[in-house]
Amino acid sequence: MGKLTLTTFVTLDGVMQAPGGPEEDPSGGFAYGGWVAPFADEGMGEFITEVFGRAGAFLLGRRTYEIFAAYWPAHDDPADPVAGKLNRLHKYVASTTLDEAAWGPATVLDGEHLQGEIVRVKDALDGELQVHGSGQLAQWLLARDLVDEINLLVFPVVLGAGQRLFPTGGLPTAYELVNSRTTSAGTALQTYRPTGRASFGTVGA
């Protein structure tokens, strides 16, 4: 039985939109794409290599799948820990608009029965079912307690605009910190596991 993990780049104010480049996702008039570039360093690369080393398959939203499909097949290297895994492991695409996934091996999951399909895939997997990026899918999974572990790469920049990982109205959830370290560029690499609903009290009572 596998586990579902979410790996996300976020700013200090929680923005996850278009970390990789200006043209990655300009939806909503977002003009700050590519905010990770000034902080990409060896420590970040080592962490990403560790994460991909645990992958058994990938679960992606349609937009992220299409971004990856436009890039990774042309940059393939079986020895590369990211390209090798993305091009060869199975990719499950959560979409209500995509009929066929051309960059394989891949399967488009039935949107009407998405939760059951994801649980079925995860339970049959040896390793991690990994979600990368995929903002809307990530929020959908978090709202249904389907994420077993979150890898947050928190970059030392504030944007003030853009899609956030944890929107207003999300489930109040408590997490335990499993691992934490910081890169030379100041990026905090944090791994969390949910422990249940958040609890509340009065400090000093």
Side-chain angles (χ1 to χ4, degrees), residues 106-142:
T107 301
V108 178
L109 297 181
D110 181 357
E112 293 186 3
H113 305 283
L114 185 57
Q115 183 164 337
E117 289 290 292
I118 290 172
V119 171
R120 177 188 61 78
V121 169
K122 186 186 77 167
D123 288 350
L125 192 66
D126 181 17
E128 294 184 7
L129 179 60
Q130 295 190 350
V131 181
H132 294 271
S134 306
Q136 291 183 354
L137 174 61
Q139 292 173 351
W140 188 93
L141 293 166
L142 289 166

Coordinates of all heavy atoms in Angstrom, one line a residue, residues 106-142:
A106 N 0.2 6.8 -19.1 CA -0.7 7.7 -18.4 C -2.1 7.2 -18.5 O -2.5 6.6 -19.5 CB -0.5 9.1 -18.9
T107 N -2.9 7.6 -17.5 CA -4.3 7.3 -17.5 C -5.1 8.5 -17.0 O -4.7 9.2 -16.0 CB -4.6 6.2 -16.5 OG1 -3.9 5.0 -16.9 CG2 -6.1 5.8 -16.4
V108 N -6.1 8.9 -17.7 CA -7.0 10.0 -17.2 C -8.0 9.4 -16.3 O -8.7 8.4 -16.6 CB -7.7 10.7 -18.4 CG1 -8.6 11.8 -17.9 CG2 -6.7 11.3 -19.4
L109 N -8.1 9.9 -15.1 CA -9.0 9.4 -14.1 C -10.4 9.9 -14.3 O -10.6 11.1 -14.6 CB -8.5 9.7 -12.6 CG -7.2 9.1 -12.2 CD1 -6.8 9.5 -10.8 CD2 -7.2 7.6 -12.4
D110 N -11.4 9.1 -14.0 CA -12.8 9.5 -14.1 C -13.1 10.6 -13.1 O -13.1 10.3 -11.9 CB -13.7 8.2 -13.9 CG -15.2 8.5 -14.0 OD1 -15.5 9.7 -14.3 OD2 -15.9 7.6 -13.9
G111 N -13.4 11.8 -13.6 CA -13.7 12.9 -12.7 C -14.9 12.7 -11.8 O -15.0 13.3 -10.7
E112 N -15.9 11.9 -12.3 CA -17.1 11.7 -11.5 C -16.9 10.8 -10.3 O -17.6 10.8 -9.3 CB -18.2 11.2 -12.4 CG -18.7 12.2 -13.4 CD -19.9 11.7 -14.2 OE1 -20.4 10.6 -13.8 OE2 -20.4 12.4 -15.1
H113 N -15.8 10.0 -10.4 CA -15.5 9.1 -9.3 C -14.0 9.2 -8.8 O -13.4 8.3 -8.5 CB -15.8 7.6 -9.7 CG -17.1 7.4 -10.3 ND1 -18.2 7.3 -9.5 CD2 -17.6 7.3 -11.6 CE1 -19.3 7.1 -10.2 NE2 -19.0 7.1 -11.5
L114 N -13.6 10.5 -8.8 CA -12.2 10.8 -8.6 C -11.6 10.3 -7.3 O -10.6 9.7 -7.2 CB -11.9 12.3 -8.8 CG -10.4 12.7 -8.8 CD1 -9.6 12.0 -9.8 CD2 -10.3 14.2 -8.9
Q115 N -12.3 10.5 -6.2 CA -11.8 10.1 -4.9 C -11.6 8.6 -4.8 O -10.6 8.1 -4.4 CB -12.8 10.6 -3.8 CG -12.3 10.3 -2.4 CD -13.0 11.0 -1.3 OE1 -13.6 12.1 -1.6 NE2 -12.9 10.5 -0.1
G116 N -12.6 7.8 -5.3 CA -12.5 6.4 -5.3 C -11.3 5.9 -6.2 O -10.6 5.0 -5.8
E117 N -11.2 6.5 -7.3 CA -10.1 6.1 -8.2 C -8.7 6.4 -7.6 O -7.8 5.6 -7.8 CB -10.3 6.9 -9.6 CG -11.4 6.5 -10.4 CD -11.2 5.1 -11.0 OE1 -10.3 5.0 -11.9 OE2 -11.9 4.2 -10.6
I118 N -8.6 7.5 -7.0 CA -7.3 7.9 -6.3 C -7.0 6.9 -5.2 O -5.8 6.4 -5.1 CB -7.3 9.3 -5.8 CG1 -7.4 10.3 -7.0 CG2 -6.1 9.6 -4.9 CD1 -7.6 11.8 -6.6
V119 N -7.9 6.6 -4.4 CA -7.7 5.6 -3.3 C -7.3 4.3 -3.9 O -6.4 3.6 -3.3 CB -9.0 5.5 -2.4 CG1 -8.8 4.4 -1.4 CG2 -9.2 6.9 -1.7
R120 N -8.0 3.9 -4.9 CA -7.7 2.6 -5.6 C -6.3 2.5 -6.1 O -5.5 1.6 -5.8 CB -8.7 2.3 -6.7 CG -8.4 1.0 -7.5 CD -9.3 0.9 -8.7 NE -9.1 2.0 -9.6 CZ -8.0 2.0 -10.5 NH1 -7.1 1.0 -10.5 NH2 -7.9 3.0 -11.3
V121 N -5.9 3.6 -6.8 CA -4.5 3.7 -7.3 C -3.5 3.6 -6.2 O -2.5 2.9 -6.2 CB -4.3 4.9 -8.2 CG1 -2.9 5.1 -8.5 CG2 -5.2 4.8 -9.4
K122 N -3.7 4.4 -5.1 CA -2.7 4.5 -4.0 C -2.6 3.2 -3.3 O -1.5 2.7 -3.0 CB -3.2 5.6 -3.0 CG -2.2 5.8 -1.9 CD -2.7 6.8 -0.9 CE -3.7 6.1 0.0 NZ -4.0 6.9 1.2
D123 N -3.7 2.5 -3.1 CA -3.7 1.3 -2.3 C -3.0 0.2 -3.1 O -2.4 -0.7 -2.5 CB -5.1 0.8 -2.0 CG -5.8 1.7 -0.9 OD1 -5.1 2.5 -0.3 OD2 -7.0 1.6 -0.7
A124 N -3.0 0.3 -4.4 CA -2.3 -0.8 -5.2 C -0.9 -0.5 -5.5 O -0.2 -1.3 -6.1 CB -3.1 -0.9 -6.5
L125 N -0.4 0.7 -5.0 CA 1.0 1.2 -5.4 C 2.0 0.7 -4.3 O 1.7 0.7 -3.1 CB 0.9 2.7 -5.5 CG 2.1 3.4 -6.1 CD1 2.3 3.0 -7.6 CD2 2.0 4.9 -6.0
D126 N 3.2 0.5 -4.8 CA 4.4 0.3 -4.0 C 5.2 1.5 -4.1 O 5.9 1.7 -5.1 CB 5.1 -1.0 -4.4 CG 6.3 -1.3 -3.5 OD1 6.4 -0.7 -2.4 OD2 7.2 -2.0 -3.9
G127 N 5.2 2.4 -3.1 CA 5.9 3.6 -3.2 C 4.9 4.8 -3.0 O 3.8 4.6 -2.6
E128 N 5.3 6.0 -3.4 CA 4.5 7.2 -3.2 C 3.7 7.5 -4.5 O 4.3 7.4 -5.6 CB 5.4 8.4 -2.8 CG 6.0 8.2 -1.5 CD 6.8 9.5 -1.1 OE1 6.7 10.5 -1.8 OE2 7.5 9.4 0.0
L129 N 2.5 7.9 -4.4 CA 1.7 8.5 -5.4 C 1.9 10.0 -5.2 O 1.4 10.6 -4.3 CB 0.2 8.1 -5.3 CG -0.7 8.7 -6.4 CD1 -0.3 8.3 -7.8 CD2 -2.1 8.4 -6.1
Q130 N 2.7 10.6 -6.1 CA 3.2 12.0 -5.8 C 2.4 13.0 -6.6 O 2.3 12.8 -7.8 CB 4.7 12.1 -6.1 CG 5.6 11.2 -5.2 CD 7.1 11.5 -5.4 OE1 7.5 12.2 -6.3 NE2 7.9 11.0 -4.5
V131 N 2.1 14.1 -6.0 CA 1.4 15.2 -6.6 C 2.5 16.3 -6.6 O 3.0 16.7 -5.5 CB 0.2 15.7 -5.8 CG1 -0.5 16.9 -6.5 CG2 -0.8 14.5 -5.7
H132 N 2.7 16.9 -7.7 CA 3.6 18.1 -7.8 C 2.9 19.2 -8.5 O 2.2 19.1 -9.5 CB 4.8 17.7 -8.7 CG 5.7 16.7 -8.1 ND1 6.8 17.0 -7.2 CD2 5.7 15.3 -8.1 CE1 7.4 15.9 -6.8 NE2 6.7 14.8 -7.4
G133 N 3.0 20.4 -7.9 CA 2.2 21.5 -8.4 C 0.7 21.3 -8.3 O 0.2 21.0 -7.2
S134 N 0.0 21.4 -9.4 CA -1.4 21.0 -9.5 C -2.2 21.6 -8.4 O -2.8 21.0 -7.6 CB -1.5 19.4 -9.4 OG -0.7 18.8 -10.4
G135 N -2.3 23.0 -8.5 CA -2.9 23.7 -7.4 C -4.3 23.4 -7.1 O -4.6 23.1 -5.9
Q136 N -5.2 23.4 -8.1 CA -6.6 23.0 -7.8 C -6.7 21.6 -7.3 O -7.5 21.4 -6.4 CB -7.4 23.3 -9.1 CG -7.5 24.7 -9.5 CD -8.4 24.9 -10.7 OE1 -8.9 24.0 -11.3 NE2 -8.7 26.2 -11.0
L137 N -6.0 20.7 -7.9 CA -6.1 19.3 -7.4 C -5.5 19.2 -6.0 O -6.1 18.5 -5.1 CB -5.2 18.4 -8.3 CG -5.0 17.0 -7.9 CD1 -6.4 16.3 -7.8 CD2 -4.1 16.2 -8.8
A138 N -4.5 19.9 -5.6 CA -3.9 19.9 -4.3 C -4.9 20.3 -3.3 O -5.1 19.7 -2.2 CB -2.7 20.7 -4.2
Q139 N -5.6 21.4 -3.6 CA -6.7 21.9 -2.7 C -7.8 21.0 -2.5 O -8.4 20.8 -1.4 CB -7.2 23.3 -3.2 CG -6.1 24.4 -3.1 CD -6.5 25.7 -3.7 OE1 -7.6 25.7 -4.4 NE2 -5.7 26.7 -3.5
W140 N -8.2 20.3 -3.6 CA -9.3 19.3 -3.6 C -8.9 18.1 -2.7 O -9.7 17.6 -1.9 CB -9.6 18.9 -5.0 CG -10.7 18.0 -5.2 CD1 -12.0 18.4 -5.5 CD2 -10.8 16.6 -5.2 NE1 -12.8 17.3 -5.6 CE2 -12.1 16.2 -5.4 CE3 -9.8 15.6 -4.9 CZ2 -12.5 14.8 -5.4 CZ3 -10.2 14.3 -4.9 CH2 -11.5 13.9 -5.2
L141 N -7.7 17.7 -2.8 CA -7.2 16.6 -2.0 C -7.1 16.9 -0.6 O -7.5 16.1 0.3 CB -5.8 16.1 -2.5 CG -5.7 15.5 -3.9 CD1 -4.3 15.5 -4.4 CD2 -6.4 14.1 -4.0
L142 N -6.6 18.1 -0.2 CA -6.5 18.5 1.1 C -7.9 18.7 1.8 O -8.1 18.3 3.0 CB -5.7 19.9 1.2 CG -4.2 19.8 0.9 CD1 -3.7 21.2 0.7 CD2 -3.5 19.1 2.0

